[in-house]
Amino acid sequence: MSKILLVLLFPALIIGQLDKDKLRALQVHNDARNEVGVSPLVWSEKLEQQALKYAKQIARTNNYKHSNTKDGENLAMFYEYEESKKVKTYIYSETPLYDASMAWYEEIKDYKYSKIKRFRIGPKIGHYTQMVWKDTKEVGIASAISKNGKVYVVARYYPVGNYLGEYPY
């Protein structure tokens, strides 16, 4: 009897964790946006599905590069394992969407308020500026795991940000 109950509850536990991860990732975005005085984003199921489709494509091919989407896009990749007797045990975060959002947000330390430039020397800041882009209203984020244990996270934003010659906020 207890085995049946556990099997029935397990999918609900997974779904609940995913929902928590989405909410935490959205909160990171909206806290960053609040810091600079722009309106909060809303979660888009459509953008999430697009992000999931592309995350699965990257995971299938291990070709980690931006897509040709007309929406804004942030990417992240995580890869961690322990090895014992030549056997790798992959370590996965329970919150990959939140982890990626925090990594993108941490670019703030290298950002000096300015217009977006075509060429920039120095650390990346474009993930952060897309997060806080003043005209962006929606976000959807998803992740997929490759056969070799890499976790790919894709975020899609609408409308797109990071226009050359414009300030993000």
Side-chain angles (χ1 to χ4, degrees):
M1 180 72 167
S2 63
K3 288 182 182 179
I4 293 171
L5 182 59
L6 182 60
V7 171
L8 292 174
L9 288 176
F10 188 69
L13 293 172
I14 292 173
I15 291 169
Q17 182 61 48
L18 292 178
D19 289 345
K20 181 181 175 185
D21 193 20
K22 290 178 197 178
L23 290 172
R24 289 183 71 197
L26 181 61
Q27 189 65 51
V28 169
H29 280 73
N30 286 335
D31 287 349
R33 295 174 68 80
N34 185 53
E35 287 175 2
V36 298
V38 295
S39 60
L41 298 176
V42 296
W43 191 267
S44 166
E45 299 271 333
K46 178 182 174 186
L47 291 174
E48 177 188 354
Q49 288 306 311
Q50 291 172 7
L52 179 59
K53 182 178 178 183
Y54 192 62
K56 286 180 176 180
Q57 179 181 328
I58 295 172
R60 188 174 54 255
T61 63
N62 278 307
N63 189 9
Y64 182 57
K65 67 176 189 173
H66 281 283
S67 69
N68 293 324
T69 184
K70 292 186 180 13
D71 296 320
E73 183 176 73
N74 278 349
L75 303 178
M77 187 268 297
F78 301 101
Y79 183 62
E80 188 175 357
Y81 64 90
E82 293 176 346
E83 192 167 350
S84 176
K85 299 179 184 176
K86 298 185 181 183
V87 175
K88 288 183 182 177
T89 302
Y90 296 106
I91 301 168
Y92 300 112
S93 168
E94 293 180 7
T95 56
L97 310 185
Y98 169 80
D99 297 344
S101 298
M102 285 301 297
W104 300 325
Y105 173 73
E106 288 172 7
E107 292 178 4
I108 191 173
K109 71 184 182 321
D110 297 312
Y111 179 64
K112 305 289 186 264
Y113 187 70
S114 65
K115 293 180 180 179
I116 301 298
K117 300 175 180 121
R118 179 177 300 279
F119 300 105
R120 184 179 176 284
I121 298 171
K124 293 181 180 182
I125 57 163
H127 301 103
Y128 168 73
T129 55
Q130 175 59 80
M131 288 176 74
V132 297
W133 195 262
K134 63 186 172 285
D135 297 326
T136 299
K137 305 294 182 212
E138 300 176 12
V139 65
I141 312 171
S143 66
I145 302 172
S146 70
K147 287 181 181 177
N148 66 349
K150 294 179 180 173
V151 178
Y152 294 101
V153 180
V154 177
R156 291 282 172 88
Y157 300 87
Y158 180 82
V160 66
N162 286 339
Y163 286 106
L164 294 176
E166 291 187 24
Y167 289 97
Y169 51 88

